[in-house]
Amino acid sequence: MKRSASWLLLALAVLSGLAAAILPRALPGLIPGWLGSALFVLALVLAFSSLMRWQLPDSCDSASPGLRRRYTRELMLAMGAYVLILFASVWLLRHIEAPALRALVALLPVPPIALALRAIVRFIRDSDEMQQRIELEAVCIATGFVSLLYLAGGFLQTAKVIDVPAAAALIWLFPLVCLTYGLAKAVVSRRYR
């Protein structure tokens, strides 16, 4: 039952991601840009939910139920605030011209991410030693992999093989680390079962 729900969420995530990539290009005048972005965010949320549900009884977390509830509550509140503030920020940036105000509005999504990081650090700090070891290995793998990926991209960019806009490269760094961390945590935790 749990696995079938995970597969369903993953399938919906893939469909949402495909819709986010294809619909704005296939129907350029009919699909507003914000809808493509919303579909992409939905795809990320569904993929994350699928990964979270896919954990077996001896899951990645050896944390107490109370600690997991606190972590989930804090993280989901922070990420919900992030999504809402991100959309508000993007909308406001279309209507603001003053550079100082644009900088302030552009940075509005950063505090909710800082709160999410705080929730993660609190979870790791309050976990037992085994959970801390799993988290440490997953973070090391994720940061090492993403750093290597960005280094390779930098070399390819310098050689003029690819041309990735700096804004895209910078804004996707943190989500890529988070995604890689989640995958690494699932793999690392299997070794300790």
Side-chain angles (χ1 to χ4, degrees), residues 120-156:
I120 293 167
V121 169
R122 287 183 62 186
F123 173 77
I124 293 170
R125 184 194 64 216
D126 295 342
S127 295
D128 63 16
E129 290 84 7
M130 178 60 73
Q131 188 64 41
Q132 289 176 352
R133 182 177 180 135
I134 291 170
E135 301 292 341
L136 175 65
E137 285 186 40
V139 167
C140 289
I141 290 168
T143 53
F145 176 78
V146 172
S147 297
L148 188 62
L149 183 70
Y150 266 69
L151 180 66
F155 287 137
L156 291 172

Side-chain angles (χ1 to χ4, degrees), residues 87-112:
F87 282 118
S89 174
V90 169
W91 183 82
L92 285 170
L93 285 173
R94 292 184 189 142
H95 300 89
I96 296 174
E97 297 298 325
L101 193 53
R102 285 183 65 79
L104 180 67
V105 169
L107 293 174
L108 283 176
V110 173

Side-chain angles (χ1 to χ4, degrees), residues 1-171:
M1 175 76 173
K2 202 174 204 180
R3 280 211 166 181
S4 62
S6 296
W7 282 110
L8 177 63
L9 285 172
L10 189 58
L12 289 172
V14 169
L15 288 174
S16 296
L18 287 172
I22 294 170
L23 284 178
R25 288 172 180 80
L27 307 166
L30 300 174
I31 303 295
W34 65 266
L35 182 59
S37 300
L39 285 170
F40 185 72
V41 169
L42 177 64
L44 291 177
V45 169
L46 290 171
F48 179 74
S49 299
S50 172
L51 286 172
M52 294 304 288
R53 290 182 63 86
W54 199 336
Q55 296 175 11
L56 300 173
D58 295 331
S59 69
C60 303
D61 293 330
S62 61
S64 69
L67 179 58
R68 279 186 281 184
R69 275 193 304 276
R70 183 190 77 187
Y71 169 68
T72 302
R73 182 181 62 249
E74 289 177 355
L75 186 66
M76 290 302 124
L77 284 172
M79 294 312 291
Y82 168 73
V83 169
L84 293 175
I85 291 171
L86 179 64
F87 282 118
S89 174
V90 169
W91 183 82
L92 285 170
L93 285 173
R94 292 184 189 142
H95 300 89
I96 296 174
E97 297 298 325
L101 193 53
R102 285 183 65 79
L104 180 67
V105 169
L107 293 174
L108 283 176
V110 173
I113 293 298
L115 289 174
L117 289 172
R118 178 181 177 265
I120 293 167
V121 169
R122 287 183 62 186
F123 173 77
I124 293 170
R125 184 194 64 216
D126 295 342
S127 295
D128 63 16
E129 290 84 7
M130 178 60 73
Q131 188 64 41
Q132 289 176 352
R133 182 177 180 135
I134 291 170
E135 301 292 341
L136 175 65
E137 285 186 40
V139 167
C140 289
I141 290 168
T143 53
F145 176 78
V146 172
S147 297
L148 188 62
L149 183 70
Y150 266 69
L151 180 66
F155 287 137
L156 291 172
Q157 184 101 2
T158 302
K160 299 193 185 330
V161 174
I162 62 172
D163 187 23
V164 179
L170 288 172
I171 208 162

